[in-house]
Amino acid sequence: MSDSAVIPVPAKPVPEWRQYLRFAWNAFSQSVEGGWKFYVWMTLLTAVFLVGANAWAVQVRDGMALTAMSDHVSWGLYIANFTFLVGLAAGGVMMVIPAYLYHDEQMHDIVIIGELLAIAAIIMSIMFVVCDLGRPDRFWHMMPGLGKFNFPVSMLTWDVIVLNGYFAINVYICGYLLYKRFRAQQPVAKMYMPAVFLSIVWAISIHTVTAFLYCGLGGRPFWNTALLAPRFLASAFVSGPAFIIVAIQIIRWQTGRMFGEGAIRTLVGIVRITILISLLMVVSEIFVEFYTGGSHTGAAKYLYFGLHGHHELVPWIWTSIVFTIVAVVLFMQPKVNRRPVLLNTACLLAFVGLWIEKGMGMIIPAFIPSTLHEIVEYRPSLTEWKITAGIWALGFMIYTLLLKITINIHSRKLKDTSGARTVTPDDALAMADGGGLV
Amino acid sequence: MSRLLKQHPSLAWIALVVFATLCSLAVVWAQKNLGAAESAPVMKSQPKPEKHPVTIKPGPPTPRLDTGLKDAQGNAITAACSTCHSTTTPNTTRNTAHDLFQAHRGLSYAHGQLTCLSCHNAKDYDTLHLADGRSVAFPDVMTLCAQCHGTAMRDYLHGSHGGMNGHWDLSKGPRVRNNCVNCHDPHHPEFPLVRPVLPPRDRISVPNVPAEH
Amino acid sequence: MNDPSPPSPKTPCGGNCSCSGGSANASPPPGDDGSTRRAVLKGLGATLGVAAYAKALAPLTELTKETSMDEFLQKHYKELSKDEIATVITRLTQEAKEQYGADVTISDPKPQEGVKFGYALNLSICNGCRKCAEACHLENNHDRPSHQSYIRVFEMTKGSMDFEKGNVHYDHPVPQPDKYYMPVQCQQCEHPPCVDVCPVEATWKEKDGIVVVDYNWCIGCRYCEAACPYHARRFNWQKPQIPAAEINPDQSYLSNRIRPQGVMEKCTFCLHRTRNGRLPACLEACPTGARVFGDLNDPASEVRYVLENKRVFVLKEELGLKPQFFYFFDE
């Protein structure tokens, strides 16, 4: 075994950073190759992304009057999606905690799927914020040092820090682990374990800070509740695992490899709890609003039952509630682990239900009625849908490419063939045992 | 404690992050709450240099009746109030105008229970009079209004009634004030109904949405 | 580490590692005709993709017509020296001429020493005619088609302070007997939440109490609009449209110069007027004299008289923002 593993040492040693660049280049260039299904998928996504990019360019040129937002409802579909996606990014931590804190070996092998999801979701959420800016050309005004950064008073600055930090942490962790696997070397614990533990705390913080953006505003009673941050976290910890459960099955289907059975069981177990907690928090909000009554509950009345003849959001929220309850019922079935149709239906219903509840059902109602109790309704315009679709398409493209890199590395299709260093017997031993994804 | 840290060194990182967060939150709280003292108003009275004048728009000129006739130059022939009223008996109880058919036809009168001669001077119809009999020239009508509407005059003199045009800072420029009768018709002082202008539009260039409340 | 997948078939090297020999996504070995064709196709696809992307983003290139490098690099108002402000104002004056065909004068009046503005509104007298909103619309060079104004007048039911019973769209002769009228505009709060939440400090409270916006610094995130409890902030959803003849040429940098698209704006108590001692436009237009404006630090001012002698209240006092806009009744 050691004979076949020895590779001759080249004359001049190559510095680590150049090897990293070579890894990155190889990873990317191999990831854009694939079968016809892959090309069709990516072309479709590219087409949708280009439609969105064009819509955004027109919006920047002609003004945000192209959206359906107004001085009354000044945040809409973009911020709704931003909020949901920050939650999706935080949801990846539901894999990291069992893998690293509870040493769940089966989860440990595939936790990178959650970390890659975090990367893609953070990119998407940052893009949604940029698309929501009236003057994206003035982006540099927000950079500390270059522009003026109103830290620590403005919660948006906290959000900028934690989102970029979370992105950097996950890129570092995934980049390090994938690189080590590419080089067929054992990852060094002290190089990535602190970052992993930091990412657990940081994941909670990104969604808490995002919630603090909203719940600190006294002028918006619908948001001004201490329960907002816990609600955000609870729904993040449903949507993240639900997405990952489906993602694992798609990867199985594409690679033909059966893996992640234990991980899915763990995730289903997690979702069973978090979806109930999420539902409980919704019930708690509903009770407080409707039992208390008064003018400050106008937003809740508008959302659930309509107000003064306006009821645009009522079908949305009840769809979300029905979807979530059906998802709960399905998840609680013991056979959900054995029937993929049940499982995937439950995941899809939970995902869509929470997208509605967090997006249209939590961001928009805070603006209706307005702070002076006027009702101006909001229905997203075509421009907003196009840009939203475009960013989701880009997110899927990024996630696809990242997963392909990971699959290529773990299937040894993508490996370091430069012979830059001698493979030691220890490394070879790790390779022989290996098969797991970390 | 040190054993715990040795076994799980990452705990130190977490503790550091939590500590940094708490410090930042303390700074936020301090900035929001302790900075208030700086913006408390400074209660110093500043003597303003040379005040510009406050001009009150003139009161009505002594009215004359237009007879409808024209003289040789084409000017209207007018008559003083006393021309006719020196020949009539003063009616101290009249307080309506709807049945006047000679002069003053069409006068709209709604000034509470006041009679005409509460303000108009029976001894000299070309002036008005105060309650104690002193006569008041028409251009000085504000004195008469203030007799009963003292609170409104008090507010007017303090600038909170009647509006103004010009400068709030009289050391920078003058100010013009309305006369009572510029806004209040003495015979029908209640402010007339007006149609409101510039209805708000709730979306860009979308026409006004009718009220639903 | 445990390997959950079943042992893979024998690989050429005879090892036991988990590389799957025949993945559906494998590319053919190099040197094949297939790979050259594939490479050409991929190159074509990539070129098409880049071209499509450039075409999709083409509208962005039209932006350079209206903005310049100077504007892009302009620093925050508080960091501009007197000369730099003069340069900026020259550029803005030129832009107003080019884009709107109007000759304007843009000043930069500074807060006066020791002055703190306050505004009071007499609810016993306001008749809801909205002439103040119209004056604001004309004075501040607002977008014409949207009837934009910083002031919104509410027809409230007598007996209730609840805005739930308020109506802003009334279109009948005013005042109605059972109603009273409440114009709402920026309250210039002492603890403005809009200032707290702005991520780039594009809005701040000046020494004389006015909360201002640097229109050339604002990034248009609209967080301040979400934070304001009084619906005082406005956003330029598109470029303001004003005919040249209707433009008010007496402008200032921080208040009523014509704002660009995509930035926030708000009532500035007409600081281009009030910092020169003049009355704000809404006050001068009010036909009933319901508005009272002045220096809160001057004990002889009209607004101090109101605060000391009238029944005064502020909106949403429970939020603790200490507005400097006061409402009062005569009796």
Side-chain angles (χ1 to χ4, degrees):
Chain A
M1 179 177 67
S2 44
D3 278 351
S4 52
V6 165
I7 297 162
V9 178
K12 203 167 140 205
V14 183
E16 196 79 46
W17 63 267
R18 276 185 64 182
Q19 295 183 48
Y20 196 90
L21 282 178
R22 192 166 39 84
F23 149 70
W25 171 249
N26 284 350
F28 176 71
S29 58
Q30 239 196 49
S31 73
V32 292
E33 298 204 2
W36 68 268
K37 279 187 279 188
F38 170 74
Y39 286 122
V40 166
W41 170 245
M42 295 299 271
T43 308
L44 269 171
L45 290 179
T46 308
V48 174
F49 170 67
L50 286 177
V51 166
N54 178 251
W56 177 70
V58 173
Q59 180 189 278
V60 173
R61 182 192 65 193
D62 293 341
M64 299 197 76
L66 291 176
T67 68
M69 295 185 273
S70 58
D71 281 322
H72 297 264
V73 187
S74 51
W75 274 346
L77 197 60
Y78 301 144
I79 297 295
N81 277 286
F82 157 75
T83 313
F84 179 75
L85 286 165
V86 173
L88 196 62
V93 84
M94 281 289 112
M95 292 184 81
V96 178
I97 289 178
Y100 288 98
L101 285 185
Y102 292 99
H103 304 293
D104 179 343
E105 290 300 336
Q106 298 195 17
M107 186 66 84
H108 197 217
D109 297 337
I110 58 166
V111 70
I112 198 162
I113 294 180
E115 288 159 347
L116 294 175
L117 174 66
I119 294 175
I122 289 281
I123 293 177
M124 289 166 75
S125 57
I126 292 177
M127 288 188 73
F128 269 113
V129 169
V130 171
C131 289
D132 187 61
L133 290 180
R135 295 300 298 250
D137 55 311
R138 294 183 182 172
F139 200 83
W140 68 270
H141 291 184
M142 254 207 291
M143 294 184 193
L146 271 184
K148 268 189 171 294
F149 202 59
N150 190 10
F151 182 85
V153 183
S154 167
M155 279 295 133
L156 207 49
T157 55
W158 282 79
D159 219 17
V160 166
I161 293 174
V162 296
L163 286 181
N164 285 296
Y166 190 62
F167 175 70
I169 291 171
N170 278 297
V171 165
Y172 171 73
I173 295 173
C174 298
Y176 178 78
L177 292 172
L178 288 174
Y179 171 68
K180 279 298 184 193
R181 186 148 271 271
F182 167 78
R183 296 289 314 279
Q185 291 171 353
Q186 184 78 309
V188 178
K190 74 169 192 279
M191 288 293 283
Y192 72 97
M193 287 299 279
V196 167
F197 281 111
L198 188 64
S199 82
I200 295 176
V201 175
W202 207 280
I204 314 284
S205 85
I206 61 170
H207 219 19
T208 308
V209 168
T210 305
F212 282 1
L213 280 182
Y214 310 123
C215 64
L217 301 179
R220 304 264 172 210
F222 186 75
W223 283 339
N224 193 219
T225 159
L227 195 62
L228 203 73
R231 261 186 91 180
F232 273 26
L233 287 168
S235 53
F237 297 153
V238 174
S239 51
F243 185 87
I244 292 167
I245 290 172
V246 175
I248 291 174
Q249 292 174 72
I250 293 178
I251 299 170
R252 277 185 193 164
W253 168 54
Q254 280 303 306
T255 61
R257 278 182 57 195
M258 190 57 184
F259 71 97
E261 194 59 43
I264 289 185
R265 280 179 188 272
T266 310
L267 288 171
V268 169
I270 291 172
V271 171
R272 280 173 172 160
I273 299 173
T274 52
I275 201 170
L276 283 175
I277 294 177
S278 186
L279 212 52
L280 171 73
M281 291 183 177
V282 172
V283 168
S284 175
E285 282 282 355
I286 292 176
F287 171 78
V288 167
E289 296 276 19
F290 290 109
Y291 190 84
T292 315
S295 278
H296 277 193
T297 66
K301 280 197 211 127
Y302 171 74
L303 175 63
Y304 288 101
F305 302 112
L307 191 60
H308 297 306
H310 298 277
H311 44 248
E312 181 82 17
L313 287 181
V314 174
W316 284 91
I317 193 64
W318 287 106
T319 308
S320 161
I321 288 180
V322 164
F323 276 17
T324 312
I325 292 179
V326 172
V328 167
V329 168
L330 289 177
F331 271 116
M332 293 303 161
Q333 306 294 315
K335 48 184 187 263
V336 75
N337 276 315
R338 296 191 304 273
R339 302 268 174 88
V341 173
L342 269 183
L343 178 64
N344 292 326
T345 310
C347 288
L348 190 68
L349 288 176
F351 191 81
V352 173
L354 282 165
W355 181 87
I356 296 174
E357 187 226 306
K358 210 158 184 182
M360 301 299 280
M362 215 184 281
I363 303 302
I364 313 301
F367 294 96
I368 306 171
S370 76
T371 47
L372 298 177
H373 297 244
E374 293 181 65
I375 297 183
V376 175
E377 293 200 278
Y378 168 77
R379 183 186 288 196
S381 71
L382 189 61
T383 299
E384 292 174 276
W385 284 117
K386 282 195 218 170
I387 294 179
T388 303
I391 297 178
W392 275 91
L394 181 70
F396 274 116
M397 277 201 282
I398 292 174
Y399 195 49
T400 307
L401 290 179
L402 289 174
L403 282 177
K404 278 205 69 161
I405 294 174
T406 310
I407 293 167
N408 286 345
I409 288 180
H410 284 281
S411 64
R412 306 301 295 153
K413 213 166 70 95
L414 173 65
K415 56 180 186 252
D416 182 7
T417 51
S418 68
R421 235 197 7 212
T422 309
V423 175
T424 67
D426 283 347
D427 288 349
L429 207 67
M431 274 164 58
D433 277 350
L437 284 176
V438 166
Chain B
M1 176 74 165
S2 58
R3 198 156 50 112
L4 189 70
L5 280 178
K6 277 207 198 99
Q7 284 176 349
H8 298 276
S10 320
L11 282 177
W13 285 104
I14 296 174
L16 195 66
V17 168
V18 169
F19 179 69
T21 309
L22 288 173
C23 285
S24 303
L25 285 171
V27 172
V28 175
W29 181 88
Q31 267 190 335
K32 281 199 84 148
N33 293 306
L34 300 182
E38 298 164 23
S39 50
V42 173
M43 295 302 196
K44 51 182 194 247
S45 68
Q46 299 196 330
K48 294 267 193 284
E50 28 143 351
K51 281 187 165 220
H52 288 255
V54 178
T55 313
I56 299 178
K57 289 186 195 158
T62 306
R64 291 181 69 85
L65 185 66
D66 186 348
T67 56
L69 305 168
K70 298 262 194 284
D71 65 11
Q73 279 79 37
N75 301 323
I77 298 180
T78 59
C81 305
S82 45
T83 308
C84 297
H85 281 282
S86 54
T87 66
T88 60
T89 319
N91 182 345
T92 53
T93 57
R94 167 171 282 282
N95 63 358
T96 57
H98 66 272
D99 56 349
L100 293 173
F101 61 92
Q102 288 183 317
H104 310 308
R105 195 188 313 204
L107 177 76
S108 163
Y109 183 75
H111 200 149
Q113 300 300 312
L114 292 179
T115 63
C116 306
L117 289 176
S118 305
C119 298
H120 287 279
N121 195 348
K123 300 205 183 72
D124 174 7
Y125 276 83
D126 291 320
T127 60
L128 305 161
H129 74 104
L130 295 176
D132 62 359
R134 281 182 286 165
S135 76
V136 175
F138 270 88
D140 300 328
V141 68
M142 286 180 75
T143 319
L144 177 56
C145 305
Q147 174 187 245
C148 298
H149 300 286
T151 49
M153 176 54 90
R154 175 202 66 196
D155 291 341
Y156 174 88
L157 290 173
H158 282 106
S160 75
H161 185 111
M164 52 181 76
N165 284 87
H167 291 73
W168 66 267
D169 185 354
L170 289 171
S171 68
K172 294 267 170 66
R175 184 186 297 174
V176 173
R177 305 291 310 273
N178 285 316
N179 193 296
C180 303
V181 300
N182 290 134
C183 298
H184 301 284
D185 174 353
H187 298 125
H188 194 133
E190 192 187 349
F191 224 79
L193 286 176
V194 292
R195 278 212 80 92
V197 296
L198 201 83
R201 291 185 165 165
D202 292 318
R203 275 278 296 153
I204 300 98
S205 303
V206 163
N208 192 7
V209 173
E212 257 152 17
H213 291 260
Chain C
M1 262 185 264
N2 294 331
D3 180 6
S5 57
S8 46
K10 276 274 185 267
T11 52
C13 67
N16 201 17
C17 49
S18 60
C19 78
S20 47
S23 155
N25 294 335
S27 46
D32 235 36
D33 266 343
S35 93
T36 327
R37 197 186 322 137
R38 180 179 277 262
V40 165
L41 277 173
K42 280 178 70 171
L44 198 66
T47 316
L48 269 174
V50 168
Y53 190 59
K55 187 81 187 7
L57 290 182
L60 288 178
T61 54
E62 295 173 39
L63 278 178
T64 50
K65 278 194 237 140
E66 304 248 307
T67 61
S68 60
M69 187 50 83
D70 287 326
E71 197 201 307
F72 178 70
L73 293 174
Q74 185 182 326
K75 294 191 285 202
H76 190 278
Y77 172 81
K78 285 192 193 165
E79 290 169 9
L80 294 173
S81 69
K82 273 192 85 157
D83 291 330
E84 285 169 328
I85 293 185
T87 318
V88 166
I89 285 179
T90 315
R91 190 190 79 227
L92 291 171
T93 317
Q94 213 182 326
E95 278 174 16
K97 182 80 184 150
E98 283 163 15
Q99 293 172 21
Y100 289 95
D103 293 304
V104 303
T105 323
I106 302 178
S107 63
D108 183 35
K110 298 295 185 195
Q112 297 146 286
E113 199 57 46
V115 168
K116 191 75 193 298
F117 288 125
Y119 211 142
L121 195 125
N122 192 339
L123 291 175
S124 301
I125 290 184
C126 174
N127 70 346
C129 62
R130 291 201 204 110
K131 291 225 169 70
C132 51
E134 186 185 47
C136 176
H137 175 79
L138 299 171
E139 177 76 17
N140 286 299
N141 293 313
H142 279 296
D143 174 60
R144 290 303 183 250
S146 58
H147 284 190
Q148 186 68 285
S149 173
Y150 298 136
I151 303 175
R152 267 175 114 75
V153 185
F154 285 81
E155 180 178 70
M156 307 283 278
T157 311
K158 275 193 182 151
S160 170
M161 285 277 181
D162 193 353
F163 276 102
E164 204 45 36
K165 301 194 180 64
N167 174 20
V168 92
H169 293 293
Y170 59 92
D171 200 20
H172 43 238
V174 288
Q176 291 290 299
D178 55 340
K179 308 274 191 223
Y180 67 99
Y181 297 86
M182 186 183 276
V184 183
Q185 62 203 74
C186 175
Q187 315 275 298
Q188 318 289 357
C189 308
E190 283 296 287
H191 304 296
C194 56
V195 168
D196 283 341
V197 300
C198 177
V200 292
E201 292 182 42
T203 186
W204 66 93
K205 191 170 171 79
E206 296 250 292
K207 281 213 294 268
D208 57 359
I210 304 180
V211 178
V212 296
V213 179
D214 181 354
Y215 309 123
N216 286 45
W217 192 256
C218 173
I219 60 173
C221 70
R222 306 186 301 291
Y223 196 5
C224 56
E225 199 168 19
C228 176
Y230 301 104
H231 190 68
R233 313 226 13 151
R234 304 280 182 269
F235 183 68
N236 284 285
W237 300 95
Q238 60 192 20
K239 192 161 164 207
Q241 297 169 45
I242 319 161
E246 292 181 34
I247 292 178
N248 174 11
D250 174 26
Q251 302 174 354
S252 87
Y253 181 83
L254 287 174
S255 66
N256 68 335
R257 64 177 166 108
I258 303 176
R259 276 74 64 192
Q261 173 179 292
V263 301
M264 297 301 301
E265 54 177 15
K266 57 180 288 296
C267 165
T268 54
F269 278 1
C270 283
L271 63 82
H272 53 284
R273 288 170 157 243
T274 54
R275 285 183 177 174
N276 292 318
R278 292 167 61 199
L279 293 162
C282 44
L283 190 151
E284 292 204 312
C286 176
T288 61
R291 288 169 169 269
V292 183
F293 180 85
D295 176 13
L296 289 170
N297 285 344
D298 176 8
S301 66
E302 295 80 14
V303 71
R304 277 286 287 274
Y305 170 77
V306 166
L307 294 185
E308 287 160 16
N309 293 287
K310 298 293 186 185
R311 194 155 45 100
V312 176
F313 70 95
V314 292
L315 288 179
K316 305 201 186 192
E317 186 172 357
E318 69 279 4
L319 293 179
L321 306 174
K322 306 244 284 266
Q324 302 299 288
F325 195 98
F326 306 94
Y327 293 91
F328 68 100
F329 292 99
D330 266 334
E331 301 88 44

